[in-house]
Amino acid sequence: MQPHITASCAIRGNQIFVNGTLVYQGTADTPDLAAFLVAAYRHFGLQYPKFFKMDALCKLAFLTAELLLPTTSLAARRGAGEVGVVLANRSSSLLTDLVHQQSIQEPAAHLPSPAVFVYTLPNIAIGEISIRHQLTGENTLFVADSFEPEALVAYAGELLAEGSCQACLCGWFEAGLTSHEAFFYVVEVPAPEVPARHPHHTSAIEALYTQPLYS
Amino acid sequence: MKKVLYAASTCVTPLGFTTAATFEAVQAGQTGLRPHWFDFSDESFAAATIDETWLAEAFAPLGHSAADYSKLEKMSILAVTGAMSRVAFSLTGPDTLLVYCSAKGNISHLAVGGTPYLAQLARTVARACGFANEPLVISNACISSLQGLVVARRLLKAGRYQHAVVVGADEVTKFTLSGFHAFNALSRQPCLPFDAAREGINLGEAAAAMVLTVGPVEGLSAGAVEVVTGFSTNDAHHISAPSRTGEGLYQAVTKVLQQAGGGPVDFIGAHGTATRYNDEMEAQAFHRAGLHEVPLHSLKGYFGHTLGAAGLLEAALGIESMQRSELISSRGYTTCGTSLPVRPIRQRAPAELRRFLKTSSGFGGCNAAVLFAKAA
């Protein structure tokens, strides 16, 4: 059976969508990204204290995965290296890079923090998600100007085709100077009782990606 | 099944601007590590940097305007151009993929108000070198360029391209040095991978480019090197500390050996950063995989830790080692410093080398392993 996309989750502006349905809307008093993500974390009653140590980019990725993965069969596949994680982003870890740079900019006020520095890599988000959900399979972080599914489809498709993973968490997450966005989806060969949702094709992913805009 | 073959490489390092020159300097016992001073400390740090004047001299004949490119871009363009010039086939058509790998790219631009984007850096290099396709960019911390090889091998095997050029590049910056210093992970003296007296890492800078091909290509002999297989894994354990049991690396190595159908490994190009925890983790993983008697080296004593460039740089030199049938010693090692012993190579020596395992591990819990073998 061909792999299909079985679920998706998107965070745009102060809205969160699961499978295209609006599940959370931030309020006007959550103006910045981190505050919005913390408010959403509390709204969903999540219990994971490490969340508060994460930078905004990791909070964004973590929350997207947290709301997405329970709607899939990934929990049954994890732990055996059978779930891959293939994500892409634009600004890498720019927001935290700027915080670290600020702490070293003036030699007279040199005070870098290891707790900040560790988040100056975009793939730390993959690490946070992997720790939370015990995902131990293939992991790749692509960087691109914008969300272009072709590379994700090509690579995740090959991982599934060669049997290197049974399911793959894929998508785009971005926390830049002026905007943020996350769009994750799960591609897997669904169990027979699970209705196949969307084919693992670029056009289907693009349709899912734009869908929440019109909800 | 299509075989993915190694066709050529170029390493741009403090020890030379070709793979051959770098290899020969290493075998002559040279190291790129020197004391460097940064503005936040009166004490020096050992680091391996590329001389700007030397780089400018090598870059000038390429015909690009030097002022248009950063140091990292010059290093990258020099490496890619060098590797492209070493193959008889064209790499500028739509059948060639460029995979650009870096942990931090032009991060030094932040200090002067710039906003570095990795995709922009990769495109700059791709355009300067004449690639038709948009580059694929990978930023997976310290496994970046070895993961680039893993990804390129898969896409070639799937028939999506005939050739791929994988490049890994990172430079020594105050940004990364001050961060590792804050982590207490730096050694001020030249690093001592796997040694009892090891105190931490040195940073280094390099660009390395490797051409891979599945095309029917003339000029590749029976002794050609195949990129047999490669996998990455995640420890799912900690974002900055390696797994104490080496679980993720063990899994990556095991998957590689299983898919390769067993058989001996003649030497391992270890990650060997010379931190307490990393080298111990690797020793655990190699023991669990039954590879603890296999000769291994870390090349960090020659180049420091070149971050995203390390995997590909060390793979290229390992392949050179296979092709010249000559082991590279693990510089800085004298006394076993891991709770389970491994076998660091103590001196340059001739050896028949048919199968080479390269591994890397990085922040975020990521690990990668790639097996290279001489085609029968």
Side-chain angles (χ1 to χ4, degrees), chain A residues 104 120 140-141 145 155 162, chain B residues 104 123 140 147 154 174:
Chain A
I104 63 168
T120 61
T140 303
L141 194 291
D145 288 328
Y155 189 59
E162 71 177 36
Chain B
K104 291 313 303 172
R123 197 159 45 242
N140 263 70
Q147 182 61 8
R154 283 208 170 95
K174 185 181 159 189

Side-chain angles (χ1 to χ4, degrees), chain B residues 23-313:
Chain B
F23 181 87
E24 284 157 16
V26 162
Q27 294 302 61
Q30 296 178 32
T31 175
L33 293 169
R34 302 277 181 276
H36 286 261
W37 281 264
F38 293 81
D39 59 16
F40 61 87
S41 175
D42 291 334
E43 291 180 90
S44 64
F45 295 86
T49 62
I50 292 173
D51 183 79
E52 301 253 14
T53 309
W54 198 24
L55 182 64
E57 281 170 16
F59 192 72
L62 301 183
H64 303 295
S65 162
D68 293 346
Y69 299 99
S70 69
K71 183 180 187 184
L72 189 67
E73 287 158 1
K74 291 190 185 96
M75 289 158 53
S76 304
I77 293 166
L78 199 57
V80 173
T81 308
M84 291 170 83
S85 73
R86 288 175 184 280
V87 297
F89 44 93
S90 167
L91 295 166
T92 53
D95 59 351
T96 300
L97 176 69
L98 175 68
V99 183
Y100 192 92
C101 311
S102 181
K104 291 313 303 172
N106 280 320
I107 196 66
S108 60
H109 294 188
L110 270 190
V112 290
T115 308
Y117 288 99
L118 281 169
Q120 178 62 47
L121 160 64
R123 197 159 45 242
T124 299
V125 173
R127 296 220 167 118
C129 299
F131 287 92
N133 290 317
E134 283 292 303
L136 191 61
V137 183
I138 293 177
S139 189
N140 263 70
C142 300
I143 73 163
S144 293
S145 60
L146 198 62
Q147 182 61 8
L149 270 183
V150 170
V151 171
R153 189 197 71 88
R154 283 208 170 95
L155 295 177
L156 288 173
K157 202 115 187 156
R160 291 182 176 270
Y161 302 93
Q162 287 286 298
H163 319 292
V165 180
V166 184
V167 54
D170 266 303
E171 63 181 336
V172 174
T173 62
K174 185 181 159 189
F175 185 100
T176 46
L177 190 114
S178 63
F180 281 108
H181 187 46
F183 252 100
N184 274 328
L186 284 186
S187 167
R188 291 182 182 273
Q189 303 302 316
C191 65
L192 307 170
F194 297 104
D195 190 79
R198 71 186 184 275
E199 300 184 314
I201 71 169
N202 306 139
L203 290 185
E205 62 192 14
M210 189 180 287
V211 182
L212 307 179
T213 184
V214 287
V217 168
E218 290 173 31
L220 289 175
S221 66
V225 171
E226 181 189 356
V227 188
V228 180
T229 187
F231 286 96
S232 67
T233 58
N234 198 287
D235 288 337
H237 166 70
H238 194 280
I239 53 171
S240 57
S243 158
R244 284 182 184 275
T245 60
E247 180 65 21
L249 180 59
Y250 166 72
Q251 292 292 346
V253 166
T254 302
K255 285 182 181 187
V256 162
L257 296 180
Q258 278 175 354
Q259 196 174 71
V265 172
D266 294 316
F267 71 106
I268 301 170
H271 191 46
T273 60
T275 66
R276 289 264 139 211
Y277 291 117
N278 174 80
D279 295 5
E280 177 66 23
M281 177 278 288
E282 288 187 73
Q284 295 283 339
F286 293 141
H287 266 261
R288 290 178 64 190
L291 295 174
H292 51 288
E293 295 291 340
V294 176
L296 65 77
H297 60 220
S298 159
L299 302 185
K300 302 295 191 285
Y302 301 99
F303 306 106
H305 188 349
T306 56
L307 305 180
L312 198 71
L313 167 66

